[in-house]
Amino acid sequence: MASIKDVAAEAGVSVATVSRALNGHPSVSPAARARVLAAVETLGYRPNAVARSLRTHQTRTLGLVISDVLNPYFAELARSVEEEARALGYSVIIGNADERPDLQDHHVATLLDRRIDGLLVSPTDGGSPGMLDAVRAGTPMVFVDRWLPGVDVPVVRSDGRKAVRDLVAHLHALGHRRLAIIAGPAATTTGRERVDAFREALGAYGLPLPDAYIGQGDFQAGSGRRVTEGFLALPEPPEVVFAADNLMALGALDAIRARGLRVPDDIALAAFDDIRWFVHTDPPITAIAQSTGELGRAAVRALVDRIGGRPGESVTLPARLVPRRSCGEPDPARSPSPVRRSTP
Amino acid sequence: MASIKDVAAEAGVSVATVSRALNGHPSVSPAARARVLAAVETLGYRPNAVARSLRTHQTRTLGLVISDVLNPYFAELARSVEEEARALGYSVIIGNADERPDLQDHHVATLLDRRIDGLLVSPTDGGSPGMLDAVRAGTPMVFVDRWLPGVDVPVVRSDGRKAVRDLVAHLHALGHRRLAIIAGPAATTTGRERVDAFREALGAYGLPLPDAYIGQGDFQAGSGRRVTEGFLALPEPPEVVFAADNLMALGALDAIRARGLRVPDDIALAAFDDIRWFVHTDPPITAIAQSTGELGRAAVRALVDRIGGRPGESVTLPARLVPRRSCGEPDPARSPSPVRRSTP
DNA sequence: CTGAAAGCGCTTACAG
DNA sequence: CTGAAAGCGCTTACAG
């Protein structure tokens, strides 16, 4: 592979001039520039980004540590992050933490070793040691979706509080009174907040959220299944199950189906995070949608600001309720009949 | 950030000894090794991978260029690739080509500039110029899922021929005779092969595949919708639509629903690629499943072989039919009634 | 077993 | 406008 030396020889100039010509430095004569460009062309020269990075102390690479690319929510987040990063001249390396602090640390360490310019993370837990070290070391960082309270890093996330209130209002209007939630890990902010918001919203209607109606999940389908089985085995099962993410909703659907029950007739289901398949599930699933793409883009912008020495803006975007048929409401597209209530 | 020099000073040895100690070189005295390790510990030293890469000419990084991470099939592929790569000591940088040759070239170029050790690609089209250059330049490469005929690169992929025959047998047994396909781009091998396999399987039953029943899609949902609308507007619409990937099946479902029709009563639907949501769609969708995880792992192994100077094994894995209710078969889990035929 | 030195491929003051 | 030279942080023959 041709190096800058080869180009210099071919063009009859020094490597310094080649470097300047290629980097748009003003003080290069048109003649020299032309010769360099011609040499680059004939040799098919591509600058070695590794060497450049070593010299300039920047890699133009961002790290993104998320918990699960198989989760459509994170896949969409990753995609928008990559798009915005590319638009700003950065590449991104994605690390899949799989909700495991040790894996999260592995990725953070690897990314830091590779000297990425900045780190976007959706922390898996209360903050793995390596991640906290990275913050302390002054690595430009921003939290996206999930964050660590008390850590001085900009956070870009959704606030689902209002949407959860809307959801509970919707459920209450449909006559539901016994509402349960499949929560995410308590160590994650999204795990805690969604339960808190749900409890608070229920409180406004004088409804309790008993411990038996709070199932501990891990944002994966398997836990949604197990928790839902537990709910269904209760002497007084809930009328509604609210899954704190889309994968746990999938697991809940599995469990409900395995029991031979039907949604929403036997039990209603709602989910945090909307995905396109929810339109076509049986029945279509009521969900709380985030502006995922905008979240990813805002996070990249904040991170690039930090890298450039600017403050980096924290952003909170509202989520919104998308009511469908899984809680008992009729599908307006199919049957213009009045709202069916599961309680008379 | 501490460098190897700092460690050497702290340990009272030369940088050469630090390097040897850290890289497990045999000829380092236990005493020196201990002092180095202690210094590393107190300084929190982490070797600079950029500098190491420049020196050793290897980055221990693999590039993966796929067309769409939002497609659950590719998300799963990406995940298994990352897992196997990590197990072998590599990181992976993913490039999303979005089915655009220009973006594919952008990613290939960026990856090459970063001097990745090898490239895994699922080519978007007949081979963008940059990709062909990379092959010519001798970059270790393997094709996964899609490949370029006539290019001497190992390919790791599924063979869906048998599964497509099984699908057609299934459809034929259910009484369907007018079968249509939403094809992927003709420039991709998977785009072509699935149509060929389908046509061939139909031929075995003496069934034609008229041009009107071949819709040109691009593996994205929107095209599945448009093609299906076209099918439904035909004087004699097909009885079955077979989508060559899961996203086009989603689009087909949208179009069918928008028309107020029902699956499978009004029209049957099947898809290439199985995803977990297909179990819960209305109705559950008959699909052809690939061994995606095994594909990703085999691809990484082949690539690492190439990087190591070994040949790199091409692998072809069989796909399999997963019959569900979307083509008219009753759901055995729900109703043990006899097969309902759409044609008497 | 150890260290001094060269060199990987760039960029960038510095001097002219 | 241009080139010689230093240096980024490592690894690795080479000599001892």
Side-chain angles (χ1 to χ4, degrees):
Chain A
M1 196 158 271
S3 83
I4 196 173
K5 265 186 183 166
D6 303 314
V7 177
E10 175 78 19
V13 296
S14 71
V15 296
T17 297
V18 174
S19 178
R20 291 193 191 98
L22 261 25
N23 291 302
H25 192 98
S27 58
V28 177
S29 68
R33 187 179 310 276
R35 297 232 300 288
V36 168
L37 263 24
V40 164
E41 181 69 21
T42 75
L43 296 175
Y45 170 73
R46 300 279 324 187
N48 181 329
V50 174
R52 171 179 295 178
S53 290
L54 179 60
R55 185 51 232 244
T56 61
H57 299 282
Q58 58 168 14
T59 51
R60 302 226 49 117
T61 302
L62 268 24
L64 170 65
V65 178
I66 52 179
S67 48
D68 185 9
V69 255
L70 288 190
N71 185 325
Y73 169 75
F74 284 113
E76 193 178 339
L77 189 68
R79 191 205 163 103
S80 62
V81 162
E82 196 274 333
E83 279 179 357
E84 184 72 8
R86 178 155 36 84
L88 299 176
Y90 288 84
S91 293
V92 6
I93 306 185
I94 303 172
N96 220 211
D98 219 1
E99 307 288 0
R100 286 167 42 192
D102 62 312
L103 240 191
Q104 174 172 278
D105 261 0
H106 165 88
H107 283 121
V108 169
T110 304
L111 259 12
L112 258 28
D113 288 353
R114 284 159 197 275
R115 300 299 190 265
I116 44 118
D117 293 341
L119 201 53
L120 235 36
V121 8
S122 185
T124 272
D125 67 341
S128 48
M131 237 209 50
L132 267 12
D133 284 353
V135 177
R136 253 193 305 276
T139 312
M141 196 183 292
V142 353
F143 290 140
V144 58
D145 183 46
R146 312 191 323 200
W147 85 100
L148 259 27
V151 176
D152 184 27
V153 161
V155 2
V156 175
R157 63 181 185 104
S158 292
D159 182 353
R161 214 158 278 270
K162 167 75 166 57
V164 169
R165 274 202 301 272
D166 290 346
L167 171 64
V168 169
H170 170 71
L171 295 169
H172 190 269
L174 288 167
H176 299 302
R177 295 298 178 266
R178 296 198 308 277
L179 319 192
I181 185 169
I182 309 176
T188 63
T189 44
T190 49
R192 271 171 280 139
E193 286 172 352
R194 290 169 195 177
V195 175
D196 290 348
F198 194 57
R199 190 198 319 270
E200 197 178 299
L202 290 182
Y205 288 91
L207 298 176
L209 181 58
D211 284 349
Y213 282 4
I214 306 178
Q216 192 53 61
D218 61 5
F219 285 138
Q220 300 290 320
S223 70
R225 196 177 309 122
R226 282 190 303 277
V227 167
T228 304
E229 282 161 4
F231 286 157
L232 297 175
L234 250 26
E236 192 169 51
E239 296 162 328
V240 181
V241 171
F242 173 40
D245 88 338
N246 74 84
L247 292 180
M248 297 194 296
L250 173 66
L253 226 35
D254 285 342
I256 292 167
R257 183 173 189 246
R259 267 272 192 149
L261 300 177
R262 304 197 63 98
V263 175
D265 313 75
D266 300 310
I267 189 162
L269 179 67
F272 206 105
D273 288 339
D274 195 18
I275 64 169
R276 36 209 316 207
W277 291 99
F278 279 175
V279 173
H280 293 293
T281 46
D282 176 23
I285 295 176
T286 293
I288 291 176
Q290 302 189 49
S291 303
T292 316
E294 189 43 47
L295 229 49
R297 287 187 289 274
V300 169
R301 285 192 297 263
L303 183 56
V304 169
D305 278 347
R306 295 239 69 166
I307 292 170
R310 280 151 274 139
E313 194 190 359
S314 283
V315 175
T316 304
L317 262 27
R320 65 186 187 289
L321 178 67
V322 182
R324 289 193 271 253
R325 294 213 324 272
S326 66
C327 298
E329 194 161 35
D331 185 359
R334 284 168 184 262
S335 57
S337 58
V339 170
R340 185 194 339 147
R341 289 172 180 265
S342 52
T343 305
Chain B
M1 196 157 270
S3 83
I4 196 172
K5 265 185 181 167
D6 303 313
V7 176
E10 174 79 17
V13 297
S14 71
V15 296
T17 297
V18 174
S19 177
R20 290 194 191 98
L22 260 26
N23 291 301
H25 192 96
S27 58
V28 178
S29 68
R33 187 180 311 274
R35 298 232 300 289
V36 167
L37 263 23
V40 164
E41 182 69 20
T42 74
L43 296 175
Y45 170 73
R46 300 279 323 188
N48 182 328
V50 174
R52 172 180 294 178
S53 290
L54 180 59
R55 184 51 233 242
T56 61
H57 299 282
Q58 57 167 13
T59 51
R60 300 224 52 112
T61 302
L62 268 23
L64 170 65
V65 178
I66 52 180
S67 47
D68 185 8
V69 255
L70 287 190
N71 184 325
Y73 169 75
F74 283 113
E76 193 178 339
L77 189 67
R79 189 204 164 105
S80 62
V81 162
E82 197 273 333
E83 278 179 358
E84 184 72 8
R86 177 155 35 83
L88 299 176
Y90 288 85
S91 292
V92 5
I93 305 185
I94 303 171
N96 221 210
D98 219 1
E99 306 288 0
R100 285 167 43 190
D102 63 313
L103 239 192
Q104 173 172 280
D105 261 0
H106 165 88
H107 283 121
V108 169
T110 304
L111 260 9
L112 259 27
D113 288 353
R114 283 159 196 273
R115 300 301 191 263
I116 45 119
D117 293 341
L119 200 53
L120 235 35
V121 9
S122 185
T124 272
D125 68 340
S128 49
M131 237 210 50
L132 267 12
D133 284 353
V135 176
R136 253 194 305 277
T139 312
M141 196 182 294
V142 352
F143 290 140
V144 57
D145 182 46
R146 313 194 318 204
W147 83 101
L148 259 27
V151 176
D152 185 26
V153 161
V155 3
V156 175
R157 64 180 186 106
S158 292
D159 182 352
R161 215 158 278 270
K162 168 73 165 57
V164 169
R165 274 203 301 272
D166 290 346
L167 171 64
V168 170
H170 170 71
L171 295 169
H172 190 269
L174 288 167
H176 299 302
R177 296 296 178 267
R178 297 198 307 277
L179 319 192
I181 185 169
I182 309 175
T188 63
T189 44
T190 48
R192 272 171 279 140
E193 284 173 353
R194 290 169 194 178
V195 176
D196 290 346
F198 194 57
R199 189 198 319 271
E200 196 179 299
L202 289 182
Y205 287 92
L207 298 175
L209 181 59
D211 284 348
Y213 282 4
I214 306 178
Q216 193 53 60
D218 61 5
F219 286 137
Q220 300 290 320
S223 70
R225 196 177 308 120
R226 283 190 302 276
V227 167
T228 303
E229 282 161 5
F231 285 157
L232 296 175
L234 251 25
E236 191 168 52
E239 296 162 326
V240 181
V241 171
F242 173 40
D245 89 337
N246 75 84
L247 292 180
M248 296 194 297
L250 173 66
L253 226 36
D254 285 342
I256 292 167
R257 184 173 189 244
R259 267 272 190 148
L261 299 177
R262 304 197 62 97
V263 175
D265 312 74
D266 300 310
I267 189 162
L269 180 66
F272 206 104
D273 289 338
D274 195 18
I275 64 169
R276 37 211 313 208
W277 291 100
F278 279 175
V279 172
H280 292 293
T281 46
D282 175 24
I285 294 176
T286 293
I288 291 177
Q290 301 189 48
S291 303
T292 316
E294 188 43 48
L295 228 50
R297 287 186 288 275
V300 170
R301 285 191 297 264
L303 183 56
V304 170
D305 279 346
R306 296 239 69 166
I307 292 170
R310 280 151 274 139
E313 194 190 358
S314 283
V315 175
T316 305
L317 262 27
R320 66 186 187 288
L321 178 67
V322 182
R324 287 193 270 254
R325 294 214 324 271
S326 66
C327 298
E329 194 160 36
D331 184 0
R334 284 170 184 261
S335 59
S337 58
V339 171
R340 181 189 346 141
R341 291 171 178 264
S342 52
T343 305

